[in-house]
Amino acid sequence: MDMIFAPFFCFLLVSAAQGGGSHAAMSPEQYWRSILPDTPMPISISQLLGDGYPYSPAVGLPKRGDRVQIRYGPNIYGLAASQQFFKDPTMGLFFLETNLQSSKSIKLHFANMMAGTKFLPRGEADAVPFSSKDLQEILARFGVRPGSVDASVVKNILLECELPANKGEKKACATSLESMVDFVASSLGTRDIKAASTFLVGKDGDTPAQEYTVTGARRMAETGQLIACHPESYPYAVFMCHLTEATRAYKASLVGKDGAAVEAVAVCHTDTAEWNPKHAAFQVLDVKPGTVPVCHFVQPDVVVWTRRG
């Protein structure tokens, strides 16, 4: 057995020996603490815990907006959703690793897509269909009008979640906090795991698009392995989580032109040889696939998981 899976497997054996069915009665927070006892829960996760179905046809699904997206599909690492770049080519959607040095300036916009969205408890999430073949039942359950833009978004998320992982990756769509924790534990283990998100110091909402100066940056882990969990536009909180190998994660301290302080998570992809040559990153940086690491900051609602040591 691979040693990275051993802690989680052993935990399940001990839990079963002690009457492990008690997991079913745990709250999401308790489940987190039982599986990841030395991993603090970031605000990006705790804000998604609560009751109810937040979807309202009048409000619609959470909007991705102009965000870095590395999409899955037959054309591996297809064109990123980068309308913001074409509106404003000075926006630092992608950057080179050397730009993480102190005193470098990057134009950025941080926004939380998931405000108001909630996780379903695992029992509820598991009882709700999550398959493209059940699309009509899902739309009816949440009051999403068939044929609407939101219905199309829901369909696309389900299809995306059903696609196989890209070469060298492992992926899953987490429909509850507990399923996210399980994916992390089975991929990285249960000890010395760090969960990090971009944090807007002293602010609850978005920040304006502006120039930020890097005042410091540090590696989050010495290994090249990390999990990134990206939120999806869905009637309740769903995250696309994928384990990647050829990456480096950083925590960078930024100060905006208006004085706003941000503790931002940056991810650098060190092997882009298989990326679509038309990917927006190569247009932004004027580089070719596989030549240099491609970096981007993550938004406050994305969770990046690393294993210390």
Side-chain angles (χ1 to χ4, degrees):
M1 179 186 299
D2 191 301
M3 289 302 293
I4 209 168
F5 292 86
F8 185 57
F9 180 73
C10 291
F11 176 86
L12 294 178
L13 288 179
V14 172
S15 177
Q18 296 175 343
S22 60
H23 272 176
M26 287 184 178
S27 69
E29 298 98 320
Q30 290 170 329
Y31 190 80
W32 174 295
R33 290 194 295 269
S34 72
I35 303 295
L36 303 171
D38 57 1
T39 305
M41 183 183 293
I43 294 174
S44 58
I45 292 295
S46 60
Q47 70 180 0
L48 302 180
L49 299 176
D51 297 326
Y53 297 106
Y55 177 77
S56 163
V59 176
L61 294 172
K63 299 298 186 291
R64 280 196 181 114
D66 299 314
R67 304 163 64 85
V68 171
Q69 299 287 338
I70 299 175
R71 313 312 303 158
Y72 285 84
N75 198 358
I76 295 176
Y77 289 115
L79 187 68
S82 57
Q83 295 179 12
Q84 182 67 50
F85 166 67
F86 297 107
K87 292 177 185 174
D88 182 0
T90 66
M91 189 67 66
L93 288 182
F94 300 97
F95 57 91
L96 299 176
E97 206 166 9
T98 53
N99 285 102
L100 285 172
Q101 297 172 1
S102 294
S103 78
K104 291 284 188 178
S105 293
I106 308 175
K107 189 173 183 181
L108 300 164
H109 178 215
F110 293 107
N112 187 346
M113 180 185 87
M114 298 296 282
T117 306
K118 300 294 182 183
F119 272 120
L120 296 184
R122 168 174 266 168
E124 293 183 41
D126 288 350
V128 176
F130 193 79
S131 169
S132 58
K133 66 181 178 60
D134 297 315
L135 176 63
Q136 296 309 313
E137 180 181 347
I138 294 169
L139 298 182
R141 181 183 289 260
F142 293 103
V144 182
R145 183 170 57 84
S148 65
V149 172
D150 282 354
S152 178
V153 171
V154 169
K155 177 183 178 181
N156 288 338
I157 295 304
L158 293 170
L159 291 172
E160 184 175 311
C161 287
E162 292 167 358
L163 288 172
N166 289 328
K167 181 181 177 181
E169 293 189 335
K170 174 184 175 184
K171 82 175 182 81
C173 280
T175 58
S176 65
L177 177 58
E178 294 92 331
S179 61
M180 182 188 291
V181 168
D182 287 350
F183 180 80
V184 171
S186 67
S187 303
L188 297 178
T190 62
R191 296 287 180 174
D192 297 322
I193 305 300
K194 182 175 178 60
S197 296
T198 292
F199 177 64
L200 312 179
V201 180
K203 287 184 177 288
D204 294 327
D206 301 348
T207 65
Q210 61 177 318
E211 291 283 340
Y212 284 87
T213 300
V214 179
T215 60
R218 59 195 180 280
R219 283 278 299 273
M220 286 175 53
E222 292 305 316
T223 66
Q225 197 176 56
L226 65 79
I227 292 172
C229 291
H230 303 269
E232 299 289 358
S233 297
Y234 206 73
Y236 54 93
V238 171
F239 282 76
M240 167 76 78
C241 296
H242 56 106
L243 171 72
T244 59
E245 300 283 348
T247 51
R248 285 191 283 268
Y250 292 87
K251 200 70 177 288
S253 298
L254 310 175
V255 177
K257 190 174 181 180
D258 66 354
V262 179
E263 290 297 311
V265 176
V267 175
C268 294
H269 301 268
T270 59
D271 183 2
T272 61
E274 297 294 323
W275 289 27
N276 186 332
K278 295 182 180 180
H279 193 288
F282 305 128
Q283 299 179 54
V284 173
L285 301 175
D286 193 25
V287 297
K288 296 185 181 301
T291 56
V292 295
V294 169
C295 305
H296 60 87
F297 286 106
V298 303
Q299 291 292 338
D301 46 25
V302 175
V303 187
V304 173
W305 304 78
T306 55
R307 192 163 182 255
R308 294 186 289 269

